[in-house]
């Protein structure tokens, strides 16, 4: 610190005397001296031992000097600030000290001068930082939203063998876990390891934060493993938050079998489910579309004298809206009023979005008006919903105008969801460049792209067959700390299979396991379906076994993919073996499954077996048009036209509507047999339904028989091709094929 000249030394004594007197309005008496105050003098004044005993005076001086002597105030030096903070801490005014630091960090700590002075103190100018100063500064950086700077201070404390207090450590863990980066989650676990080494007292909150981090990454097995560690290794009992955190994550993933096991474990540890527990279950069932079970949970809540809250009703409404039951969702508002629960902005947003989803834009706008009239202010989500529906209607120019209007009139600031909505909108109209431009704009504004947006871009690149760009984006995202999930990898896997790059798809699968991303049933289905589509059904069976061993339950898509794979390879008997074994294990085949098998038999020329299977089907279930079309096509190929016409009559008796495929199969067979008049008669019969088809077919019949065969075969798409196309798109059930 520079030596003061004699006049400055005298002025220092005068100012110190004024500040340490008992008079009020001390700072006003300093105003005449402002022209004489220099930076060295201020530094000496702030380091005065007598003023250090008066923290309130020192704090007032700090604010006065910043405002009244801006030229002399050492804005590039944190020494005055640290002098005030040390004084406040020594008098146990920790909240004031932290508040002052937070204000400084948010407004004046661009070059991180405060952090640098703590990490590398100039001992000639000030004493070394105390443990209390480190603790308060660490908390201030966390409150200011800079967990990675706080981490540097924590690491400095570790090097100095200073044990941070448990509250500081837990706050740091929370700050790191909340920061949207996989690096932060790794850092959080390193902080935990350091806490253990230093002997910092651990509590349930410590573990709850780490468990939340694992859940964010989708590492639910590691999260459950942390419960086992906290009990057996650290003798810390889990609480409701511990279990509710994992239950919520499991519910989001649809892992309800694991949810049931965890609930049993929760009860075993003497914990009673609370409202959050029940709400997590309601959320999980609603997400899976199991609304009956969700409402049963609500009834159970009421039976245990635990009334549902606004969150419960909002989740139920969301589930009903997703199921298209907007009327029932609106009726729940009446039930809420009986419980004296007022609809909030989430309630209105859910219903508005539900109305838009069903094309009820008028009702949606009425709800927006009702919302404002009832004093509920539209929020960012409300505005994003209106933008989403403009994007869905492909009105991108109107979207741009709407964003400008919201910014100007409502102070709207586009956020991550807004950009995700705009990206999807541009992709919907086929403008990949527009979507990528939005992604770049996000980066320029410092808005971190979330996993959903990342996956949307990955999917678009894959569909454009830009697999290298998609892979590079995934790698770049991981290196930059974005959280990638099973959908990210599943998207690439599907993309590679679509291009018949089986080895690349399998590489992605293995890499996903290396980085400990747990696949869902949907991810397994992408893999199994891709292998089957590419003629590797036996390898798909290995992955099917892997799925079962992982504790997941295969769904209809899984079974149908393998059955179709065997049929596609001509191994129909293996398909039936797998089918029979699956039925024994509670698989309930639908018409789609049965049609795959029937088509497999017909494709291999096993018409008699196909007929037996067909007859068993019509006795057991209500079959569809596709089932009859498949059998009619097989009879036509075998020139069994009487049998084909019998089935056509049977269809009409059962009020199943024959389609173009039905008639094309029969007309083609008639023409190939030279029965042109009968073909003409059939065409005349269906002319009311398929006038254009009749005209085309008649023209081809009279002009060129050989060409007519080709035309008919292209018009009436072979059912096996339809199945192949549907499976390649991942559509597995409830499909009614109509060839138009």
């Amino acid at each position: 610190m520079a030596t003061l000249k004699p006049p400055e030394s005298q002025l220092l004594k005068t100012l110190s005397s004024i500040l340490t007197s008992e008079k009020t309005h001390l700072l006003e008496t300093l105003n005449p001296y402002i022209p004489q105050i220099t930076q060295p003098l201020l530094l000496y004044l702030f380091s005065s031992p007598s003023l250090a005993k008066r923290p309130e005076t020192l704090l007032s001086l700090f604010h006065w000097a910043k405002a009244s002597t801006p030229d002399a105030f050492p804005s590039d030096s944190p020494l005055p600030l640290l002098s005030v903070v040390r004084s406040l801490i020594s008098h146990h005014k920790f909240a004031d000290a932290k508040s002052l630091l937070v204000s400084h960090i948010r407004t004046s700590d661009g070059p991180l001068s405060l952090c640098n002075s703590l990490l590398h103190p100039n001992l000639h100018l000030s004493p070394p930082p105390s443990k209390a100063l480190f603790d308060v500064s660490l908390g201030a950086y966390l409150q200011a939203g800079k967990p990675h700077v706080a981490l540097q201070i924590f690491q400095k404390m570790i090097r100095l063998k200073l044990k941070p207090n448990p509250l500081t450590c837990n706050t740091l863990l929370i700050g790191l876990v909340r920061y949207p980066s996989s690096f932060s989650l790794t850092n959080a676990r390193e902080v935990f390891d350091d806490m253990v080494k230093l002997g910092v007292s651990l509590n349930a909150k410590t573990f709850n934060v780490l468990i939340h981090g694992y859940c964010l990454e989708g590492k639910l097995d590691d999260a459950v493993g942390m419960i086992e560690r906290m009990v057996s290794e650290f003798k810390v009992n889990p609480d409701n938050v511990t279990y509710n955190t994992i239950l919520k994550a499991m519910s989001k993933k649809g892992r309800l079998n694991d949810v049931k096991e965890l609930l049993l474990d929760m009860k075993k540890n003497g914990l009673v489910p609370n409202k959050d527990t029940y709400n997590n279950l309601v959320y999980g069932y609603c997400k899976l579309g199991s609304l009956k079970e969700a409402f049963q949970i609500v009834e159970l809540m009421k039976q245990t004298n635990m009334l549902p809250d606004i969150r419960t009703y909002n989740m139920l409404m969301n589930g009903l809206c997703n199921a298209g039951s907007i009327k029932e969702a609106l009726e729940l508002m009446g039930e809420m009023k009986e419980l004296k629960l007022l609809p909030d902005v989430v309630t209105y947003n859910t219903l508005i979005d539900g109305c838009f989803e069903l094309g009820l834009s008028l009702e949606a706008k009425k709800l927006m008006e009702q919302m404002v009239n009832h004093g509920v202010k539209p929020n960012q989500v409300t505005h994003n919903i209106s933008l989403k529906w403009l994007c869905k209607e492909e009105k991108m120019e109107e979207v741009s105008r709407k964003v400008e209007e919201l910014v100007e009139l409502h102070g709207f600031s586009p956020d991550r969801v807004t950009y995700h909505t705009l990206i999807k909108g541009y992709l919907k109209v086929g403008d990949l460049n527009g979507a990528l431009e939005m992604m770049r704009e996000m980066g320029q504004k410092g808005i971190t792209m979330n996993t959903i947006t990342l996956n949307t871009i990955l999917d678009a690149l894959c569909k454009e067959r830009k697999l290298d760009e998609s892979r590079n984006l995934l790698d770049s995202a991981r290196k930059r700390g974005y959280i990638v999930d099973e959908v990210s990898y599943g998207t690439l896997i599907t993309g590679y299979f679509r291009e018949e790059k089986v080895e690349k798809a399998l590489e992605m699968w293995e890499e996903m396991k290396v980085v400990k991303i747990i696949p869902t049933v949907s991810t397994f289905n992408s893999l199994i379906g891709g292998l089957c589509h590419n003629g590797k059904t036996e390898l798909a069976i290995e992955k099917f076994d892997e799925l079962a061993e992982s504790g997941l339950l295969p769904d209809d898509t899984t079974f149908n993919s393998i059955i179709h794979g065997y049929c596609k390879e001509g191994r129909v008997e293996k398909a039936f073996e797998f089918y029979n074994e699956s039925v024994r294990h509670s698989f309930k085949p639908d018409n789609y499954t049965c049609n795959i098998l029937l088509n497999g038999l017909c494709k291999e020329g096993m018409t008699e077996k196909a007929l037996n299977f067909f007859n068993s089907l019509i006795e057991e279930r209500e079959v569809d048009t596709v089932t009859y079309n498949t059998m009619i096509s097989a009879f036509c190929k075998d020139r069994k036209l009487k049998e084909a016409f019998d089935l056509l009559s049977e269809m009409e008796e059962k009020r199943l509507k024959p389609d173009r495929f039905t008639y094309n199969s029969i007309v083609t067979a008639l023409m190939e047999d030279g029965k042109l008049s009968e073909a003409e008669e059939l065409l005349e019969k269906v002319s009311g339904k398929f006038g254009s088809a009749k005209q085309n077919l008649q023209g081809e019949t009279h002009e060129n028989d050989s060409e007519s065969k080709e035309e008919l075969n292209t018009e009436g798409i072979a059912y096996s091709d339809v199945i192949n196309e549907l499976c390649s798109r991942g559509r597995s059930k409830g499909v009614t094929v109509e060839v138009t």
Side-chain angles (χ1 to χ4, degrees), residues 173-202:
L173 288 174
I174 292 169
L176 290 169
V177 167
R178 283 180 179 170
Y179 197 81
S181 161
S182 59
F183 299 143
S184 295
L185 297 170
T186 301
N187 289 334
R189 289 190 274 275
E190 289 171 357
V191 168
F192 173 77
D193 291 339
D194 287 330
M195 289 170 67
V196 173
K197 288 174 189 173
L198 282 173
V200 175
S201 177
L202 306 177

Side-chain angles (χ1 to χ4, degrees), residues 327-493:
K327 181 184 174 186
E328 289 83 352
L330 289 166
E331 286 172 356
L332 281 181
M333 288 183 79
E335 193 174 312
M336 285 171 60
K337 287 177 183 175
E338 289 176 12
L339 294 172
K340 296 186 176 166
L341 290 173
L342 294 176
D344 62 6
V345 68
V346 177
T347 315
Y348 281 107
N349 287 343
T350 302
L351 295 172
I352 290 165
D353 195 39
C355 286
F356 274 128
E357 188 73 52
L358 292 174
L360 305 171
S361 55
L362 189 61
E363 285 77 359
K365 288 170 184 174
K366 284 181 182 176
L367 281 168
M368 285 182 174
E369 290 174 9
Q370 181 183 322
M371 178 183 187
V372 175
N373 292 337
H374 288 183
V376 180
K377 187 179 179 182
N379 63 3
Q380 190 89 356
V381 176
T382 321
H383 298 314
N384 282 334
I385 287 170
S386 61
L387 291 173
K388 177 178 76 171
W389 288 103
L390 287 173
C391 286
K392 285 200 172 188
E393 292 169 1
E394 301 184 11
K395 299 175 180 177
M396 295 312 295
E397 289 185 9
E398 191 174 335
V399 168
S400 299
R401 289 196 298 273
K402 181 74 173 176
V403 171
E404 289 176 9
E405 177 192 316
L406 289 171
V407 170
E408 290 175 11
L409 300 180
H410 300 280
F412 175 73
S413 178
D415 60 8
R416 187 183 292 124
V417 176
T418 316
Y419 279 105
H420 174 71
T421 301
L422 296 175
I423 285 169
K424 283 187 73 177
Y426 280 115
L427 292 175
K428 186 174 172 64
V429 298
D431 187 356
L432 179 58
N433 290 332
L436 293 173
E437 178 59 34
M438 288 296 101
M439 187 177 77
R440 282 189 287 271
E441 191 176 304
M442 283 179 77
Q444 289 167 0
K445 291 187 176 180
I447 299 173
T448 309
M449 181 169 57
N450 66 10
T451 309
I452 297 173
T453 308
L454 170 66
N455 291 342
T456 302
I457 296 286
L458 289 173
D459 183 58
L461 289 169
C462 285
K463 284 176 178 173
E464 290 285 323
R465 306 177 76 174
K466 297 182 177 181
L467 291 169
D468 289 341
E469 290 93 327
S470 187
R471 179 62 202 260
N472 290 339
L473 177 59
L474 180 68
D475 291 342
S476 169
R478 281 188 57 218
K479 287 173 185 173
R480 291 167 64 187
Y482 291 123
I483 296 175
V484 300
D485 62 7
E486 74 281 356
V487 178
S488 315
Y489 278 90
T491 301
L492 266 294
I493 288 168

